[in-house]
Amino acid sequence: MTEKTALTPATHTTPPAKFSHGVRKGNLLQVAGQVGFLPAVEGQAPTPAGPTLREQTLQTLANVKAILEEGGASWDDAVMIRVYLTDVAHFAELNEIYDAYFEQQGLTQAPAARTTVYVGLPPGLLIEIDALAVLS
Amino acid sequence: MTEKTALTPATHTTPPAKFSHGVRKGNLLQVAGQVGFLPAVEGQAPTPAGPTLREQTLQTLANVKAILEEGGASWDDAVMIRVYLTDVAHFAELNEIYDAYFEQQGLTQAPAARTTVYVGLPPGLLIEIDALAVLS
Amino acid sequence: MTEKTALTPATHTTPPAKFSHGVRKGNLLQVAGQVGFLPAVEGQAPTPAGPTLREQTLQTLANVKAILEEGGASWDDAVMIRVYLTDVAHFAELNEIYDAYFEQQGLTQAPAARTTVYVGLPPGLLIEIDALAVLS
């Protein structure tokens, strides 16, 4: 039997429901939808990194990365990144932030595929991202 | 060659288009987007379990589970559950229902990752759920 | 180590950000969100196939198929197709177009699972589709 392991980085709050921030089973790693919450502080409600798309996107990407790494993976293992924005007008800025971020990550393999759609999110949140990775 | 098998529980209506309610190929099982339709009755149009979020969520989860089981899997094999709600105001109630449901399922492994976003759905439907499972 | 390969059909424009139109890693192939852009013409901005749902859907499906084929896969390998529409009123017509398209593709295995939700998309775009395939 292949075990399914929950991935819970030290920076993360307890999930608000019975789900895992990420799970790994065999060579597949699934990251749950992440938002731009700052590292958890005990006794405090989750707080977004800031009101801007830039702040929230960079924190969200850091949160996804923490889960990938908790499972022994890196951005190079990601095959799909799903980006949920709340406003079509944010697309160009998202792409700028996204490109600059991944330039800095020093990918050695093809970047992941991506789907970007525009949905509703809880008040104050501008972006949510999840990811699927296949480990080597 | 690995075969791809359609998963069609006895409780399910014929899909309204050329897709499968679920498919299994190798050790991967993908459940199509399920809504809260009651078990199919021949000659009748699909009918949601009820107007409330609770009724629809429990029926939707039952529909996802039926497909997992049809493919020889269980909730313990699910690595990702995607929840589509129509109203941000439903998040807290969804989490209560979701938690209580999975408590009852007696999971023996880490719960699946989850992404929840808010989208449009056909009139009368409050929730849609799909899932990805990796069999042991 | 299993390599991750970017899939870039000749018909496709350069992605507007640091992502791949599709990637293959091991036996998994992920197609990024495709829209109804006509084959790329150098020096011209991407242009949708037409204003109607039919034109855009058929072009979008052709774009997904091109990426599957670039990775050595076909529709028969697809396990999940995610359809993003902008208008609930398009569901019945989408299903007609989708069914007729897949009838013509001569599938020899079970059709893929599918989730259809209603989201926002950039102005002029009525549909976006992504897909996950498992190669035999």
Side-chain angles (χ1 to χ4, degrees):
Chain A
M1 194 178 116
T2 316
E3 212 170 326
K4 182 171 65 166
T5 312
L7 307 173
T8 313
T11 47
H12 275 57
T13 51
T14 306
K18 209 165 169 51
F19 64 84
S20 300
H21 286 305
V23 292
R24 180 173 171 182
K25 187 170 180 182
N27 70 336
L28 220 68
L29 192 164
Q30 176 71 57
V31 178
Q34 300 296 303
V35 296
F37 289 150
L38 290 164
V41 178
E42 208 181 309
Q44 286 187 19
T47 310
T52 68
L53 183 67
R54 173 172 301 277
E55 291 163 306
Q56 289 195 16
T57 301
L58 293 175
Q59 186 63 50
T60 301
L61 288 166
N63 291 344
V64 174
K65 187 184 182 182
I67 295 165
L68 289 170
E69 291 182 343
E70 188 76 17
S74 75
W75 284 120
D76 265 330
D77 298 303
V79 295
M80 184 60 162
I81 295 175
R82 295 187 180 278
V83 178
Y84 301 95
L85 294 175
T86 57
D87 190 340
V88 171
H90 287 161
F91 187 57
E93 188 185 354
L94 179 271
N95 281 339
E96 276 176 43
I97 299 165
Y98 192 94
D99 282 5
Y101 175 81
F102 281 106
E103 285 295 342
Q104 288 173 341
Q105 298 297 310
L107 300 181
T108 64
Q109 296 198 42
R114 196 184 82 181
T115 288
T116 307
V117 291
Y118 304 87
V119 301
L121 291 179
L125 298 179
L126 303 175
I127 186 165
E128 180 165 350
I129 298 178
D130 62 49
L132 178 68
V134 178
L135 282 91
S136 296
Chain B
M1 192 179 118
T2 316
E3 210 171 326
K4 182 171 61 166
T5 311
L7 307 173
T8 313
T11 46
H12 274 57
T13 51
T14 306
K18 210 166 166 52
F19 64 82
S20 301
H21 285 305
V23 292
R24 181 172 170 183
K25 188 171 179 182
N27 70 337
L28 220 67
L29 192 164
Q30 175 71 56
V31 178
Q34 299 297 302
V35 295
F37 289 149
L38 291 165
V41 178
E42 210 183 308
Q44 287 187 18
T47 310
T52 68
L53 183 67
R54 175 173 299 276
E55 291 162 306
Q56 289 195 15
T57 300
L58 293 176
Q59 186 63 49
T60 301
L61 289 166
N63 291 344
V64 173
K65 187 184 183 183
I67 295 166
L68 290 170
E69 292 182 344
E70 187 77 17
S74 75
W75 283 120
D76 264 329
D77 299 302
V79 295
M80 183 60 161
I81 296 176
R82 295 188 179 277
V83 178
Y84 301 96
L85 294 175
T86 58
D87 190 340
V88 171
H90 287 160
F91 187 57
E93 188 186 353
L94 178 271
N95 281 339
E96 274 176 44
I97 299 165
Y98 191 94
D99 281 6
Y101 175 82
F102 281 107
E103 285 295 342
Q104 289 173 339
Q105 297 298 309
L107 300 180
T108 65
Q109 295 199 42
R114 197 184 80 180
T115 288
T116 307
V117 291
Y118 304 87
V119 300
L121 291 178
L125 298 178
L126 302 176
I127 187 165
E128 181 165 349
I129 298 179
D130 61 48
L132 178 68
V134 178
L135 281 91
S136 295
Chain C
M1 192 177 118
T2 316
E3 210 171 327
K4 183 170 62 166
T5 312
L7 307 173
T8 314
T11 46
H12 275 57
T13 50
T14 305
K18 209 165 168 53
F19 64 83
S20 301
H21 286 304
V23 293
R24 180 171 170 183
K25 188 170 180 183
N27 70 337
L28 220 67
L29 192 164
Q30 176 71 56
V31 178
Q34 300 296 302
V35 295
F37 289 150
L38 290 164
V41 178
E42 209 182 309
Q44 287 185 18
T47 310
T52 68
L53 182 67
R54 174 172 300 276
E55 291 163 306
Q56 289 194 16
T57 300
L58 293 175
Q59 185 63 50
T60 301
L61 288 166
N63 291 343
V64 173
K65 186 184 182 183
I67 295 165
L68 289 171
E69 291 181 342
E70 187 76 17
S74 75
W75 284 120
D76 264 330
D77 300 303
V79 294
M80 183 60 162
I81 296 176
R82 294 188 180 278
V83 177
Y84 302 95
L85 294 174
T86 58
D87 189 341
V88 171
H90 286 162
F91 187 57
E93 187 185 354
L94 179 270
N95 281 339
E96 275 176 43
I97 299 165
Y98 191 93
D99 281 5
Y101 175 82
F102 280 107
E103 285 293 343
Q104 289 174 341
Q105 297 298 309
L107 300 181
T108 65
Q109 296 197 44
R114 196 183 82 181
T115 288
T116 307
V117 291
Y118 304 86
V119 301
L121 291 178
L125 299 178
L126 302 176
I127 186 166
E128 180 164 349
I129 298 178
D130 62 48
L132 178 68
V134 178
L135 282 90
S136 296

